[in-house]
Structure formats: C-alpha cells, structure tokens
Amino acid sequence: MSEPSRPSVPPGLWQKCPKCRALLYVKELERNLRVCGQCQHHFQIGTAERIAQLVDEGAFTELDDGLLPANPLDFPDYEEKLVRGRAKAGQNEGFIYGDAVIDGVPTVLGVANFAFMGGSMGSVVGEKVTRALERGADLNRPVVLVCASGGARMQEGIVSLMQMAKTAAACARLKATGNLYIVVMTDPTTAGVLASFASLGDICIAEPGALVGFAGPRVIEQNLKIKLPPGTHTAEFQLNHGMIDLVVPRRELRTTLGKLLSYLAPATAAADVDAPVAVAVD
Amino acid sequence: MISPSRWLPFEKPLQDIEEQIQALEAYAAAHGIDRSEKIAELRVMHADLSHQIFSNLSAWDKTMMARHPNRPYTLDYIKLIFDDFIELHGDRRFGDDPAIVAGVGRLNGETVLVIGHQKGRDVKERQFRNFGSARPEGYRKAMRLMELAERRHIPVIAFIDTPAAEARLEAEERGISEAIAACMALMSRLRTPIVVSVIGEGGSGGAIGIAVGDHISMLEHSVYSVIPPEGCAAILDTFGRDGTRGHEAACALKITAADNLRMGIIDEVIPEPLGGAHRNAAETAVLLKDTFTRVLAGLHKLPTDVLLANRYAKFRALGQYIDPSAPKKKAKK
C-alpha cells in the first residue's frame, strides 16, 4: 500500500526526500524500506508495508477490520473528514491489528495508519488497541503496537479522551497477566496516544528521527512564543532523557523485535494456552 | 470567603440590578427614607433573572464559569469538606509539583487520600501553581500516595481542575506523557475505591491523568473536554483556525456536565448554588461532601475484585462505533 503522506511529492520514478531534498529513485527507496539513502530520513509508511516488513512471510491475519467510526458528538464536518480519510488511507480507520508471527513468535500486532486523519485516536482506534491488548492477555501472547498519531481525535471530543483511560487500563491488564508489551514509536507519536498506551510498553522502541513528544514543538513555540533548541521532541531526545529503550533503524527493526520476542516471550511459554497457529495472509 | 466581585458577560443584567440595589440602599441610608419596598422588588427580579440565566448557560458560558477567578479550588474544598488534612509533598524522584496537591484527610471519621489539581488565586500564587497545569512530578506524587492508599486500604478522592498538563520542554524532558499514562494505568487497577469529581476545568490529558475512578461526578458549571474550545477552534478548519470561534467549538465538543452525563462519561452532576459555586463555596462543599459520603458507602460494600472489575468495565465501555459483526450497533446514550 502506498503512503500518500507527502502530497507535494509527485508520484513516479523519483521522490524527493523531505529532509535533505535529495532526489531518490523510488525503486531504490522501496528496496531501502523507504529510508533515504542520503540522510537516513525514515519516510512514513503504510500499514501493509509495515506489516510486510515485520512479520514472517504471510503471517498476519487482520481482526475486526469492519469496525467503523460513528459520530458520537454529531460534530460538524466529521463525516466528510471520515470519507476523505478512508479514501486517503484506503482503510476503514486509523489502526489495524491482528494475529501475527514475528520471527517464529506468535504475537498480536497492531499498526497505526497516520494517513487516516493523522492516526488520531477516536472510538475505533481506542477499541481496536484495547482489543489487541486484551487478546494478548487472553491468549497469553506478546503484543507489539506500532504507533503513529497526532493524538486524540478532536471530532469525538471527550469520548476520545476516554480512550486514553481505556487503553491504559488494557495495558495494565496485559501486564498483570504476565505478558510482554512492546511499543514501536514511528513518526509522529504524540499527545493523547503518547500519554496513554504508547508510553506504557515494557520496551519502547522508536524509529530514528521520529517526532515523539507530548505537544509538538511547533505548538509549544506558537503558544508560548518561545524558540526551542533544535532536536527536541525526537526519538533521540526521548532516548537521551530515559523515556524510551532503543532507537532502531527500520532495517534492523524486524531483527530487534524478533530477538526481544524470542528472548522475553518464547512461543513455548504460551504453548499450553492456545496453540499458536500459522496464520494465513489476509 | 470568596467575594463574587467579577462579573461574566452574561451576568450583566444581574450586575445592573445589584448596583441599583446598592445605590438605593446608600440613598435611603443617606437621606433617612424608606426604599425597602423598591429594594424587595428588585431582589425578586434579581432572583427570577438569576434562575433564568443560570439554568440556560451555553457551553461557552460554562467554560467561563469553570474558569471563574473566584471559583473555589481544590484546597478551598478540602478545608470545607474534611475534618483534617495533612498535605504531603514530593514524588521522591525529582521534586514537588504545586499544581497537584495530595494528602491524608479525614472524612466523617474515615481516613481518605485526597489528590487534586490546584490553581492559584492571585498573580503570585497562580505562577506558583503553574495555573493548575501539572508537571510529571504531580502525577508521580499522586501515584506514590495512591500506592500507599492501596496498601492501607483507604479510599482516594480526586478533584479535577486543570486547563491542561504542562507541555513545556522541562515537562517533556521528565516524561509528562509517561507520567500521565502510568497514573491512569495505576488507577485502573488500584485496589481501593476511587471517587473523582470535576470541580472546574477538566482539561484533556492533564485531567484524565488523575480521573480514572469508580464514580465520576461533575459540578453543574464545570466542563470536561479533550481540548480547550479555543485550542480546538485554532486547529480545526471547521472553526476557521483563527481561534476566535471558541464558543462554537465549545458547543460542538459537548463539554458541559449535562452533555457528559448524557454520553455516559460521568455518573452524576452535582448541582451548584444559584449563580455558581463561587457565590457559595460552603454550600457547594456540603453537596460535594454528601456525594462523596454516599458514593463511598456504596463502594465500601463491594469486594475489591468486583470493584476492580466494575472499574475496568466502566472505561472499557466508553466509545461509540459501528461493529457490523456485533448483533447490534454499539452505542452509548
């Protein structure tokens, strides 16, 4: 699935790196997992691409893909934005999850889709994140969530805010059942998502250069009329301040996840619970 | 205790009448004449108009009520509600955040842990309290003391009154997001009753960070929202993005106590005295205390496992979406 996150870039053979402006040959960019060969900028990628990069071949079965957003507040313009988001993202909502096998370890994997209204968390995203975490708890499987979000979805108002509490409670429940929870923060992971399930990983990994922060630096500079030093609110900044465990380049992500999962949640540990099955591609 | 000296725009007609009454009283006293009949008439007018105004406040009016500079804050209510209160300080990691107060109090002879956002009354105190915007240390102090409450089996009472959590760089450096997330996670499984009341501004992540509980109430003129209305108007093209249409965003966001009750976000609306909590803090405190007393009596009867299962189910059920595979549409109304 292609990721139309930079609308200024024309489709075709060449794509400009938004960070270093280098002109990149698309085929090579794709071979490079959509990481700029010049400056290592990690492009935002779609959910299908992400899943293909992380799971054992064909080992992902999506669950609850039919959940659709409602308009709990009758918020103006919301339904139009949902239609546009669906067209842009090619999916029903901003998050997908399902059963996966990563390096031989049966895992519940969830991936946010930033192209759908900025990956914002409304009822559907909150519900699917919660279901993913509950599935891990119920089946004794590790849960890996790949985050990309601008935060809570304004159009669902207070109902969105409550998804923070709901997902945080599901994280606590997963941990109480003794299971492993790994978070991968990708560009960007912010606000209500960072301040709930994304910060609660037993292990928090981020992609290089990803924007990671409670409020984006631009918001802070605008609201407080101050100038921030360069390099704040990034994966590296969060690593330096002890908020995440690892910054892992995309090329190494699958290997790192595979090791962590097999060291900390080997499949044999869950063998007596619910025999993990080799799942079909969706 | 708190003088209702500052008038909000929609209170203008009441201000006019009150000024007329004062002028008449002064005139009558100065000239030794009886104006009591006219004054009584004005007082009746004032009461009628008050009822009319305060039972028809818009979401934007309520936002102003919730932020009223004279509105009672957490420590005001603590003084009025609890027989004793010993404030406890510090997160044992970095510092003490004056924007969240916490301590041990006595309610009807029972020990309770009280936590709450704290705003400041004058310029100096407002700065000291960081306008009620909590830093990571505030949430971590609350967590430390809630763990104590769990161990000692004492219930937690949380007052919510914050515009938002602190977002500046120093808060980021010390993990404001993690602090909020961890506090919610802890509260979701804390093995003791938690009673929450939104007394002013229930602002976004800063509010929900200490608002996970078994019973959630809101004072009648408080608000509870994912974002301040002005902020919403500034970022959504729906409201022109210039921040001037906060009143429209306030309405669209459904932030009032009545809205939150209707949507099933909260359990109860606690009425305020006529004209708002700031006109009679003592009476408001009595109403809050009655609620806490009644709710805790009920929660104490539940076995802890039931209490926790109910609390999980309460937040688990929040959200509205269409599930085509479910037998019927999931909707909370």
Side-chain angles (χ1 to χ4, degrees):
Chain A
M1 185 156 308
S2 72
E3 171 64 41
S5 60
R6 305 279 176 185
S8 60
V9 178
L13 284 175
W14 299 88
Q15 195 166 348
K16 201 181 228 179
C17 172
K19 199 175 161 209
C20 73
R21 316 313 272 168
L23 215 51
L24 306 167
Y25 187 48
V26 166
K27 283 249 167 66
E28 194 179 317
L29 183 61
E30 276 163 9
R31 261 198 308 278
N32 216 13
L33 309 181
R34 300 184 70 79
V35 175
C36 172
Q38 304 292 313
C39 74
Q40 305 304 311
H41 169 72
H42 283 53
F43 285 71
Q44 290 171 350
I45 59 172
T47 49
E49 214 172 340
R50 174 70 68 184
I51 289 163
Q53 286 177 13
L54 294 183
V55 305
D56 297 356
E57 181 136 22
F60 181 76
T61 310
E62 188 178 352
L63 295 163
D64 295 322
D65 61 323
L67 289 198
L68 294 170
N71 187 357
L73 307 187
D74 283 322
F75 201 90
D77 295 349
Y78 185 30
E79 272 140 51
E80 292 78 356
K81 281 183 180 165
L82 288 172
V83 170
R84 261 181 280 153
R86 214 165 290 153
K88 194 177 167 198
Q91 277 161 8
N92 281 335
E93 252 286 0
F95 186 85
I96 74 171
Y97 86 101
D99 288 328
V101 181
I102 299 177
D103 216 1
V105 181
T107 302
V108 181
L109 174 67
V111 180
N113 191 347
F114 189 74
F116 193 104
M117 292 188 76
S120 56
M121 177 161 65
S123 296
V124 172
V125 173
E127 178 67 20
K128 287 173 115 177
V129 167
T130 303
R131 287 190 189 187
L133 293 161
E134 287 181 339
R135 188 167 177 84
D138 294 344
L139 301 182
N140 271 317
R141 286 182 199 167
V143 178
V144 175
L145 299 184
V146 183
C147 305
S149 177
R153 188 172 295 169
M154 296 301 115
Q155 289 84 354
E156 292 191 24
I158 191 76
V159 182
S160 291
L161 190 71
M162 293 301 128
Q163 305 309 307
M164 290 174 66
K166 174 167 138 182
T167 57
C171 290
R173 183 168 174 261
L174 175 75
K175 291 180 186 177
T177 59
N179 288 289
L180 177 69
Y181 173 38
I182 299 180
V183 169
V184 180
M185 301 175 188
T186 71
D187 186 48
T189 299
T190 63
V193 164
L194 187 64
S196 60
F197 68 92
S199 279
L200 292 170
D202 294 303
I203 296 170
C204 293
I205 299 171
E207 285 198 329
L211 175 70
V212 179
F214 183 57
R218 250 179 309 160
V219 176
I220 296 181
E221 291 188 334
Q222 274 167 17
N223 288 357
L224 301 169
K225 313 265 185 286
I226 54 164
K227 188 97 189 89
L228 285 170
T232 65
H233 303 80
T234 61
E236 293 75 13
F237 171 92
Q238 298 295 353
L239 182 72
N240 286 340
H241 287 93
M243 294 306 148
I244 60 174
D245 294 276
L246 292 164
V247 175
V248 178
R250 192 169 289 165
R251 186 162 286 291
E252 296 164 26
L253 191 53
R254 180 192 197 137
T255 315
T256 306
L257 276 179
K259 280 188 187 176
L260 288 169
L261 288 167
S262 50
Y263 297 164
L264 291 167
T268 48
D272 57 326
V273 182
D274 195 305
V277 285
V279 288
V281 70
D282 72 326
Chain B
M1 186 179 88
I2 297 157
S3 70
S5 57
R6 299 187 211 206
W7 296 92
L8 297 172
F10 56 82
E11 294 178 303
K12 183 79 175 74
L14 296 174
Q15 181 184 6
D16 291 346
I17 297 175
E18 281 192 26
E19 281 168 5
Q20 276 185 49
I21 292 172
Q22 277 165 12
L24 273 174
E25 280 172 346
Y27 184 85
H31 296 83
I33 48 172
D34 182 22
R35 286 281 189 212
S36 55
E37 209 167 298
K38 177 71 185 160
I39 289 169
E41 207 175 289
L42 283 169
R43 286 197 198 285
V44 171
M45 250 173 85
H46 185 278
D48 289 349
L49 200 56
S50 290
H51 275 287
Q52 202 186 319
I53 287 174
F54 289 104
S55 52
N56 289 295
L57 295 182
S58 71
W60 184 244
D61 297 336
K62 298 236 185 203
T63 305
M64 283 183 278
M65 288 289 273
R67 296 173 183 167
H68 197 290
N70 291 342
R71 196 165 172 86
Y73 298 145
T74 295
L75 284 174
D76 298 318
Y77 288 127
I78 285 176
K79 268 194 217 109
L80 292 164
I81 292 172
F82 302 99
D83 301 322
D84 195 10
F85 176 71
I86 304 168
E87 190 179 345
L88 301 168
H89 294 274
D91 71 345
R92 302 295 189 272
R93 276 157 176 75
F94 181 83
D96 183 43
D97 181 10
I100 287 183
V101 293
V104 177
R106 300 277 291 173
L107 178 70
N108 311 315
E110 181 190 8
T111 301
V112 293
L113 176 74
V114 188
I115 59 176
H117 304 96
Q118 181 64 36
K119 294 180 176 179
R121 192 71 61 197
D122 57 26
V123 175
K124 220 173 128 191
E125 206 204 343
R126 256 175 233 150
Q127 278 176 352
F128 174 65
R129 300 289 180 188
N130 199 30
F131 305 88
S133 286
R135 304 171 181 91
E137 296 72 58
Y139 298 97
R140 293 183 182 132
K141 169 169 65 180
M143 287 172 71
R144 174 176 76 84
L145 292 169
M146 284 193 283
E147 279 166 353
L148 168 66
E150 179 177 58
R151 225 161 48 238
R152 299 307 311 145
H153 302 293
I154 60 173
V156 178
I157 294 175
F159 292 96
I160 308 303
D161 190 15
T162 180
E166 177 56 58
R168 264 175 282 212
L169 195 57
E170 54 269 34
E172 191 70 65
E173 289 173 323
R174 302 196 295 270
I176 184 67
S177 302
E178 191 274 345
I180 290 170
C183 205
M184 290 189 296
L186 176 77
M187 292 178 93
S188 74
R189 299 184 65 81
L190 199 77
R191 298 182 67 79
T192 193
I194 305 174
V195 181
V196 178
S197 192
V198 182
I199 56 169
E201 280 185 282
S204 195
I208 189 70
I210 57 166
V212 177
D214 304 299
H215 183 274
I216 324 285
S217 62
M218 283 177 76
L219 283 179
E220 182 184 355
H221 301 309
S222 62
V223 292
Y224 199 4
S225 178
V226 71
I227 186 171
E230 303 93 322
C232 182
I235 62 167
L236 288 190
D237 49 13
T238 307
F239 305 107
R241 280 208 177 132
D242 59 2
T244 59
R245 289 159 70 188
H247 56 287
E248 283 175 61
C251 180
L253 283 165
K254 309 264 194 298
I255 61 177
T256 69
D259 288 331
N260 276 282
L261 183 69
R262 204 175 307 119
M263 292 188 289
I265 306 294
I266 62 164
D267 301 285
E268 185 173 341
V269 178
I270 301 173
E272 293 185 27
L274 187 61
H278 61 288
R279 287 170 187 273
N280 196 335
E283 194 187 324
T284 315
V286 169
L287 294 168
L288 280 166
K289 184 175 182 175
D290 287 350
T291 306
F292 297 153
T293 306
R294 165 173 47 79
V295 168
L296 279 177
L299 293 175
H300 278 315
K301 290 194 193 112
L302 299 176
T304 305
D305 289 338
V306 175
L307 181 81
L308 289 199
N310 289 353
R311 191 185 304 154
Y312 188 84
K314 178 184 181 63
F315 285 87
R316 182 70 188 82
L318 295 179
Q320 193 179 318
Y321 52 84
I322 300 153
D323 188 350
S325 65
K328 66 175 174 54
K329 191 171 125 175
K330 191 158 187 168
K332 282 202 80 77
K333 267 270 141 93

